[in-house]
Amino acid sequence: MGAGRMADVQLDDTGEPAPPDAPAAPGRARRARAVLRRWWPLPVAGVLAVVAWQAVADARTESTAERLRETPGVITTTVTPPLDPTPMASPGLATALYGGVHTQDGFVAGTVVGDASDPVRVVGIDPADGEQVWSVDVAGPADPGLSSRGVACDSGIDDRARVLWCVLTDYGDASGAPEATRLVEVHLGDHAVRSERELDPGASAVAVGHALVVGTPGPESVHLVATDVRTGEQLWAADVPEPLAPGGGSGWLSRAGGHVLVVAASATWAVDAGSGSVQAGGAGVAVVRGDRLVDLQGSSRTLLLGADGSGTAVADGQVQLLAPDDGSAPDVLVVEVSDGSLERRLRGVDAASGEVLWERRSDGMASTNRLLLDGVLYGSGDRGRLWAVDALSGEERWSTEGGVLDDHRLMTDGVHLLRVERDARSGDPVLAAYALGSGRPAWSTPLPPGVDSVWTQGGILYGHGEDGAVVLR
C-alpha cells in the first residue's frame, strides 16, 4: 500500500440516514463545530484587514490633505455634510474679510471705507465667525469738497503679515484730479499706526518684501524709487518710459511675485523689485505661475517672457490662471486655444519654449477655475464633467459626470473637489463633493436656506445670500 497522509476521520454514531425533520445527529454537530473552530478566524481576519486598510488609506488621505492645505486657497479643514451656517458677527465686514490679509495672530486685516463722514479704518477680523477684534483709524472723515477717496492697502508679502501699507488719495469735487496722497504704515501686532507721510498728489506705493516702492507720475514717465523699509536706505530708482492714462485713478501700481507692475497709458510695465530693471512692457503683461512674465496678446497668442522678461517664445492661445496652485510642475503653463468654433482646446506647454506637451478638449463655453496640486491639473465646466490630468503629460487620471453647474467656482479641502450644482430633482443649489484622488462622488448636501453661493478666503468656507455672509462648517 502506498504511504499517504493520514486524515482526521469523524465516525457517525449510526449508519442510518437521519429523517428530514430530525435534529442534527450528534456526530454531525461535532463535525460542524470542528469546521467552525478551524475556519472561523478567516472571515474575521478579512474584516479586520479591510478595516485596517481603510484606516491606513484614510490616514494617508488626511496626511496628503494637510500638506495641500499649506497652499493658499485650499480650505484648511475637511468639509462634511450637512453645512452648518454661522452668521457673521459683523455682516458689514464681509468685504474687508474677502479682500484682507492674514496676520500673524490668526486674524484677517482689511479696510473699511464708509461714507464720506466716516473715518477710514483698518480692522482685525476673526475669520472663524466674522467678528471684529480690533480697529485703528488711518484717516479721518473726508473734507466736504472732495468727490471721492481712493484706498489701497497691501502687506508686501504672501505670508502672514506684520505690517500693512495703505495709500490714501483724495480727489477734488470739481476736477476729479488727485489733491492729496498719504502713505500710512499700520502695525498689525500693535494695532496702531506706526508712521505716515505725504506723497505727491496722485502718487502710489507698494511693498515687495523689504523694498518699499513709491511711484510718482510725470508728464512723460513714471518715476519709481525703492527704499529699504528697515533702514530707509535707497535701493534703486527707475523710470517707466510713458505716463499714466489721464484720469486713470488709483490702483496703477501693484506687486506680483518679485515684480512691480505699472499700468501706464498704453501698456503694463514690469519692473524687477530687486534691481529696478525695467523688464517688459505690453498691453497684456502679467505674472503667472509664481514669477513668470507673459504678454497676453488677445485670445490667440501669448509671449512667454520668462522671469526676467528676456524670453522670446510664443504660445498659441491664452495662458490660464490657476488657483489654487501649489507650484508643482513649475515648467508647464496651461493655455486655452480657440479653433474658430464653439469648441476650445486646453494645452499644456513648456513655459520656456512654448512647445506643446499635451492637448485635450476644453470645458465648453463656461469653465470653472482650474486647480494644480501635486502635479495634477483639475477642472470642470458647464457640461457638468469634472476631470483630472497629469500636468506634465496630459494623461487623464480620472473623469466623472457631475450635476448641472450652478457656480463657476471649483474649490478643494485637500480631500474633495467642491462645487455648487443644481439638484436634479428639486433644482435647488447643493454643494457637491468629489474625491480628489478618484473623482468618485462623495456626497451632496443642500446649501443652507437663504445661501445661494459659496466662496473661500484664508482657508475657510463662506456662504452668501439674501441675509448676507455666513461661515459654513
Side-chain angles (χ1 to χ4, degrees), residues 42-97:
L42 292 181
V44 174
V47 171
L48 292 176
V50 170
V51 171
W53 174 85
Q54 187 62 52
V56 170
D58 289 346
R60 186 180 297 117
T61 298
E62 192 60 30
S63 175
T64 300
E66 287 300 319
R67 177 170 48 79
L68 295 179
R69 287 167 185 162
E70 297 176 2
T71 303
V74 177
I75 301 168
T76 54
T77 57
T78 302
V79 179
T80 57
L83 298 175
D84 181 23
T86 301
M88 288 186 61
S90 305
L93 298 180
T95 302
L97 180 66

Side-chain angles (χ1 to χ4, degrees), residues 85-108:
T86 301
M88 288 186 61
S90 305
L93 298 180
T95 302
L97 180 66
Y98 187 78
V101 301
H102 276 256
T103 68
Q104 294 197 337
D105 53 9
F107 300 126
V108 174

Side-chain angles (χ1 to χ4, degrees), residues 327-341:
S328 56
D331 296 325
V332 176
L333 297 179
V334 178
V335 300
E336 194 167 58
V337 182
S338 173
D339 61 1
S341 68

Side-chain angles (χ1 to χ4, degrees), residues 211-240:
L212 177 65
V213 182
V214 174
T216 304
E220 297 182 356
S221 64
V222 176
H223 186 59
L224 303 177
V225 177
T227 56
D228 190 314
V229 296
R230 300 163 297 184
T231 65
E233 176 188 2
Q234 180 172 315
L235 300 174
W236 52 261
D239 288 290
V240 168

Side-chain angles (χ1 to χ4, degrees), residues 157-448:
I157 60 175
D158 295 324
D159 205 349
R160 293 184 178 271
R162 292 178 179 270
V163 173
L164 205 60
W165 299 91
C166 296
V167 178
L168 301 99
T169 300
D170 292 333
Y171 295 89
D173 190 21
S175 65
E179 292 191 354
T181 299
R182 288 191 307 127
L183 175 63
V184 180
E185 177 189 9
V186 181
H187 194 279
L188 301 178
D190 297 338
H191 315 148
V193 172
R194 172 179 284 179
S195 68
E196 56 184 303
R197 62 170 162 143
E198 297 291 331
L199 302 179
D200 289 346
S204 191
V206 65
V208 185
H210 294 300
L212 177 65
V213 182
V214 174
T216 304
E220 297 182 356
S221 64
V222 176
H223 186 59
L224 303 177
V225 177
T227 56
D228 190 314
V229 296
R230 300 163 297 184
T231 65
E233 176 188 2
Q234 180 172 315
L235 300 174
W236 52 261
D239 288 290
V240 168
E242 71 167 322
L244 301 183
S250 60
W252 53 267
L253 186 67
S254 63
R255 69 176 178 93
H259 311 277
V260 175
L261 299 182
V262 178
V263 181
S266 65
T268 296
W269 296 84
V271 180
D272 182 75
S275 67
S277 170
V278 178
Q279 299 169 307
V285 166
V287 179
V288 298
R289 303 238 49 212
D291 216 30
R292 293 185 179 276
L293 290 167
V294 296
D295 188 358
L296 308 174
Q297 300 185 332
S299 61
S300 61
R301 174 183 164 95
T302 299
L303 297 183
L304 308 180
L305 305 175
D308 62 359
S310 64
T312 58
V314 176
D316 291 334
Q318 190 173 62
V319 171
Q320 303 295 291
L321 301 180
L322 310 175
D325 179 357
D326 66 355
S328 56
D331 296 325
V332 176
L333 297 179
V334 178
V335 300
E336 194 167 58
V337 182
S338 173
D339 61 1
S341 68
L342 295 181
E343 289 292 331
R344 291 174 296 172
R345 309 295 295 177
L346 202 65
R347 291 175 178 169
V349 302
D350 184 277
S353 67
E355 176 189 359
V356 177
L357 305 175
W358 53 264
E359 180 176 299
R360 62 177 281 118
R361 190 174 70 168
S362 191
D363 299 299
M365 292 299 294
S367 63
T368 64
N369 54 295
R370 280 88 181 215
L371 293 69
L372 203 162
L373 299 168
D374 261 357
V376 180
L377 180 70
Y378 302 90
S380 68
D382 55 6
R383 293 193 180 100
R385 182 164 293 276
L386 298 92
W387 51 264
V389 300
D390 186 287
L392 290 173
S393 67
E395 178 183 359
E396 187 169 279
R397 296 290 187 90
W398 55 258
S399 178
T400 190
E401 194 67 40
V404 177
L405 189 64
D406 188 64
D407 189 305
H408 292 87
R409 291 185 183 92
L410 189 61
M411 302 161 288
T412 183
D413 58 4
V415 176
H416 307 108
L417 286 178
L418 303 163
R419 67 178 197 172
V420 177
E421 302 176 350
R422 287 285 171 179
D423 182 81
R425 295 180 179 178
S426 68
D428 294 333
V430 298
L431 185 66
Y434 299 85
L436 196 65
S438 66
R440 294 189 184 95
W443 49 261
S444 176
T445 188
L447 296 187

Side-chain angles (χ1 to χ4, degrees), residues 107-135:
F107 300 126
V108 174
T111 54
V112 176
V113 182
D115 296 332
S117 59
D118 296 326
V120 177
R121 296 177 293 142
V122 172
V123 297
I125 308 167
D126 186 341
D129 57 16
E131 183 173 4
Q132 180 177 310
V133 181
W134 53 265
S135 172

